[in-house]
Amino acid sequence: MTNPTETKFGDPATRIAQTSHWTVLLRPKQPTLGSLALVCREPVQAFSELSPGAYADLRGVVRRIERALREVSAYERINYLMLMMVDPDVHFHVIPRYSGTRSFAGQDYPDAGWPGPPQLDAAVSLGADARDRLVAALHQAWDRAED
């Protein structure tokens, strides 16, 4: 069953991948190319409440995220932000970081905060076509990133 945070980030239209414990979603607003939301599927609102299975699954999910994002955005660094101020379900904002600008399907994605903290409000808002194309590219990269 989808939790409210998954729904807010556009599941199922933005879904890149899903495991038994985690859903990987494309953020509708892209502060950098390939920005994701990584949402725990368990009904928990504190990181310490995750089951041992969710912690174990997290390692493989992060590994595949990093491989897929390296392919799609050629990031130089990656930020995992656990903010949980508005959306209380355990989740991370995954922000690939790079100097300069990346382009995808004719759209530029600058990293406005580089080399400092990410500027989440300086984001590209995706239309349905751009969203679907980026979801497809990341889903294919995820599939190639299997352990």
Side-chain angles (χ1 to χ4, degrees):
M1 178 173 203
T2 302
N3 70 36
T5 302
E6 289 170 307
T7 301
K8 179 179 178 182
F9 284 100
D11 192 42
T14 60
R15 187 184 302 166
I16 309 297
Q18 190 171 66
T19 69
S20 57
H21 299 284
W22 298 93
T23 302
V24 181
L25 303 164
L26 183 73
R27 288 179 45 120
K29 294 184 179 178
Q30 294 279 290
T32 60
L33 176 62
S35 293
L36 306 174
L38 173 58
V39 183
C40 184
R41 300 181 64 211
E42 296 180 337
V44 296
Q45 297 187 343
F47 193 46
S48 62
E49 295 175 359
L50 264 60
S51 70
Y55 280 116
D57 193 27
L58 184 58
R59 182 177 188 270
V61 170
V62 166
R63 182 180 305 236
R64 288 180 79 178
I65 283 172
E66 291 179 0
R67 289 176 181 167
L69 286 175
R70 184 155 319 274
E71 179 180 326
V72 171
S73 70
Y75 68 85
E76 297 169 51
R77 301 274 190 270
I78 194 162
N79 295 160
Y80 291 86
L81 309 174
M82 183 181 273
L83 303 173
M84 294 170 30
M85 296 301 293
V86 175
D87 306 301
D89 300 304
V90 170
H91 70 285
F92 297 89
H93 298 265
V94 183
I95 313 297
R97 305 299 308 280
Y98 43 79
S99 59
T101 299
R102 301 294 189 263
S103 296
F104 181 84
Q107 174 69 53
D108 288 339
Y109 296 83
D111 184 341
W114 181 270
Q119 292 185 11
L120 300 180
D121 57 342
V124 173
S125 293
L126 298 175
D129 183 58
R131 176 202 67 212
D132 293 348
R133 290 173 77 176
L134 191 48
V135 165
L138 285 163
H139 181 76
Q140 291 170 358
W142 170 274
D143 286 346
R144 288 188 290 273
E146 280 191 80
D147 285 332

